[in-house]
Amino acid sequence: MANKIQQAFDNIQADTQLKESTRQFLYANRRKKARRKTGLILTLACMVLSFTAGMWGYSWFQTPVSYVSIDVNPSMELALNSLDRVVSAYSYNTQGSEILNGLSLNGKKYTDAIKTIMESSAMNTYLTADPELVFTVASDKNREVILEAGAADTSRQMGHDCHSVCTDIETAALAHDSGLSLGKYNAYLLLNQYDDTITVDQCRDMTMSEIHELIWKYQQEEAPEKPEEKEDEPEIDMEQNYIDNTAVPVPSAHDQEIPHHHGGHH
């Protein structure tokens, strides 16, 4: 009888230990799952943040904020990011396409990109006969002057004279809508002030030299005539003038010696 009672108590104790170990196992298992879930959530969050930061950085790096056009007869344009590096290069006519074809410009500093373009054999054919080389820059007011100076200095260091012009970023948008490079569109706007019958399509097929020649002719027609220059008058000797104009006193009759004639009777 005593053995049966003891065995019953042992079974109860075993059940209690089993329950406790089972509870601890389940608790530990839940904690592991929670840790895994938390780790997975953190990992996913980090991946999302990294992806978002990467996309934002890529978008920021690829966003153009300035433009530099290079126009002779070929018309090309470099779009620059906030680090003044090329994010894209466009051509606006066949000649420009021939020059840009095969050139790797993206990611380069804009001055290095200009050197690469001007050193290309395709571009050299347009730079040998004293061309009208024009750099036109559009950016915010804090950058446009710096970019313009950089483009002009780069060209002159390479032995090529050029004209450089600044305009605003809104003009760049209008130029793109019209299908003209920034430089040609800016020249078109100036020419249109003298002759409003000139169209964008006409300017598209003109070289920069032809556009500037028309502008120059209109400016000459509107320029006021210069007054005729008077012939140089002889210098006046003030001392001699004073002497010549000083009245010389004429002797009076009383002051003159009147000769006496002595008559005699023969």
Side-chain angles (χ1 to χ4, degrees):
M1 183 67 179
N3 289 336
K4 290 181 179 180
I5 294 173
Q6 183 64 41
Q7 186 177 1
F9 275 110
D10 290 341
N11 290 336
I12 293 172
Q13 185 176 2
D15 291 341
T16 302
Q17 290 176 349
L18 179 60
K19 289 178 181 178
E20 180 61 25
S21 62
T22 301
R23 186 184 67 80
Q24 290 179 358
F25 172 78
L26 294 174
Y27 176 73
N29 196 37
R30 282 197 300 269
R31 290 193 63 183
K32 285 181 182 179
K33 288 182 178 179
R35 282 198 297 269
R36 281 199 219 101
K37 187 176 180 180
T38 302
L40 181 60
I41 291 172
L42 289 174
T43 302
L44 289 173
C46 290
M47 290 175 65
V48 170
L49 287 173
S50 298
F51 178 78
T52 302
M55 289 299 295
W56 180 85
Y58 178 80
S59 176
W60 173 79
F61 188 83
Q62 290 296 113
T63 300
V65 296
S66 307
Y67 298 91
V68 178
S69 76
I70 307 166
D71 295 277
V72 190
N73 184 16
S75 285
M76 298 157 284
E77 191 171 283
L78 304 176
L80 314 179
N81 63 17
S82 58
L83 300 177
D84 300 337
R85 294 189 176 272
V86 178
V87 296
S88 60
Y90 297 96
S91 61
Y92 286 88
N93 54 18
T94 304
Q95 296 89 342
S97 298
E98 291 172 352
I99 293 169
L100 293 181
N101 185 32
L103 295 182
S104 179
L105 302 176
N106 285 7
K108 285 191 174 185
K109 194 80 173 176
Y110 80 102
T111 49
D112 293 333
I114 290 172
K115 287 181 182 177
T116 300
I117 290 171
M118 297 183 70
E119 286 174 346
S120 69
S121 57
M123 184 64 168
N124 277 330
T125 59
Y126 297 98
L127 299 176
T128 55
D130 192 22
E132 189 86 5
L133 175 60
V134 181
F135 292 95
T136 308
V137 176
S139 186
D140 57 55
K141 293 182 180 179
N142 296 325
R143 296 295 304 157
E144 59 187 9
V145 175
I146 297 172
L147 294 173
E148 178 196 9
D153 289 345
T154 299
S155 178
R156 293 186 183 110
Q157 288 170 11
M158 298 182 70
H160 299 291
D161 291 332
C162 66
H163 300 289
S164 57
V165 183
C166 283
T167 187
D168 52 58
I169 204 73
E170 289 78 12
T171 301
L174 294 172
H176 299 159
D177 289 342
S178 70
L180 291 180
S181 71
L182 176 62
K184 269 199 175 179
Y185 186 77
N186 193 62
Y188 156 74
L189 291 179
L190 181 56
L191 179 57
N192 191 257
Q193 292 179 7
Y194 296 102
D195 184 356
D196 58 9
T197 65
I198 294 291
T199 66
V200 168
D201 290 334
Q202 287 174 314
C203 285
R204 183 179 291 108
D205 297 327
M206 295 168 66
T207 66
M208 291 300 284
S209 294
E210 291 170 340
I211 296 174
H212 285 179
E213 185 178 353
L214 282 175
I215 293 171
W216 182 82
K217 286 181 179 178
Y218 283 118
Q219 288 175 339
Q220 293 303 306
E221 290 175 2
E222 292 192 359
E225 294 183 3
K226 294 182 180 180
E228 294 182 3
E229 296 182 358
K230 295 181 180 180
E231 295 183 1
D232 294 339
E233 295 181 0
E235 294 184 1
I236 299 173
D237 187 336
M238 296 303 294
E239 182 178 354
Q240 185 63 40
N241 185 58
Y242 173 77
I243 294 173
D244 292 342
N245 287 282
T246 301
V248 179
V250 179
S252 63
H254 295 287
D255 295 331
Q256 294 181 8
E257 182 178 351
I258 300 176
H260 295 280
H261 298 280
H262 299 283
H265 295 278
H266 298 281

